[in-house]
Amino acid sequence: MSDQARYTVGKGTLLLIEGDITRDDADAIVNAANSALAGGGGVDGAIHRAAGPMLPAACRAIIAEIGRLPAGGAVITPGFDLPARHIIHTVGPIWHGGNSGEPEKLRSAYTQSLARAVENSLSSISFPAVSTGVYGFPVEKAAPIALKAMAEALTAGSIREVRVYLHGKHAFDLWRLAADALFGEITR
Ligand code: AR6
């Protein structure tokens, strides 16, 4: 049985879930993409496989219109074959030691993703741990940045539920520690 932790934040709910984000049925799931929206490994590869053959053309159309998506940006496509109705593609920063704007860019990846959800009148959104895989951002530094951005959106009110999918018990435990520190111990 995979772990979960639930927090009440503002008027909404924040859930940490140890599991696979591609099975989530929120209004939108967030993809940890690259600047070309070209698909790749990690959660990006899993989302592209699960969303099916229509997704690459939707991504190419966006890149044709806006050029490369910079770190900290976010765009939205349909969810195609996923249970989720939409995919919000964000690009996290590559970790270069922490003094190259990485925390600000990671915060922007979360706030821009949440802004795309609000603009599209979505009330539930699910995130992976952006930048903490191939891009090397330390999980214990990434978690509080992400959780604060999520808490601001939940407090503002139009987003009612934010879920974070963590891969593996170690990542889940680090995020739970960060969330307990920010939001207090909770009902599980
Ligand atoms: N569900 C939830 N989390 C997952 C899943 C899944 N199905 N699969 C992996 N993770 P990463 P990044 C976790 O590397 O660091 C891609 O090639 C994973 O364990 O997917 O932002 C893109 O195309 C890790 O904790 O994303 C980019 O080039 C977290 O998701 C680059 O990787 C994020 O790891 C982006 O790197």
Side-chain angles (χ1 to χ4, degrees):
M1 171 72 196
S2 66
D3 266 332
Q4 288 200 8
R6 178 186 296 270
Y7 304 82
T8 298
V9 182
K11 301 182 204 90
T13 300
L14 193 144
L15 263 172
L16 304 183
I17 300 170
E18 186 192 341
D20 177 4
I21 197 170
T22 63
R23 296 167 181 269
D24 184 83
D25 63 354
D27 294 335
I29 65 168
V30 175
N31 183 18
N34 52 62
S35 287
L37 300 185
V43 72
D44 192 5
I47 288 174
H48 271 259
R49 280 192 298 279
M54 307 276 282
L55 179 58
C59 290
R60 280 195 299 274
I62 291 172
I63 293 298
E65 193 184 327
I66 68 166
R68 291 169 72 80
L69 183 66
V75 295
I76 189 166
T77 67
F80 298 109
D81 295 345
L82 289 171
R85 283 165 49 214
H86 303 272
I87 305 167
I88 295 173
H89 306 259
T90 193
V91 181
I94 299 170
W95 181 257
H96 291 295
N99 294 317
S100 305
E102 297 95 328
E104 294 77 12
K105 286 177 194 157
L106 186 67
R107 178 178 157 74
S108 175
Y110 282 96
T111 58
Q112 286 291 304
S113 296
L114 290 158
R116 292 303 87 77
V118 170
E119 286 160 14
N120 287 278
S121 305
L122 310 183
S123 62
S124 60
I125 179 170
S126 297
F127 285 92
V130 177
S131 279
T132 66
V134 175
Y135 282 1
F137 205 118
V139 177
E140 64 282 5
K141 289 188 167 65
I145 293 170
L147 291 166
K148 283 178 199 163
M150 294 166 189
E152 285 170 19
L154 286 165
T155 303
S158 69
I159 304 269
R160 302 308 299 255
E161 182 156 319
V162 178
R163 303 174 197 151
V164 188
Y165 279 80
L166 288 325
H167 235 196
K169 173 123 182 72
H170 182 64
F172 177 85
D173 286 345
L174 288 173
W175 279 73
R176 184 165 57 191
L177 272 179
D180 283 353
L182 285 168
F183 311 128
E185 296 272 348
I186 31 83
T187 48
R188 298 236 163 94

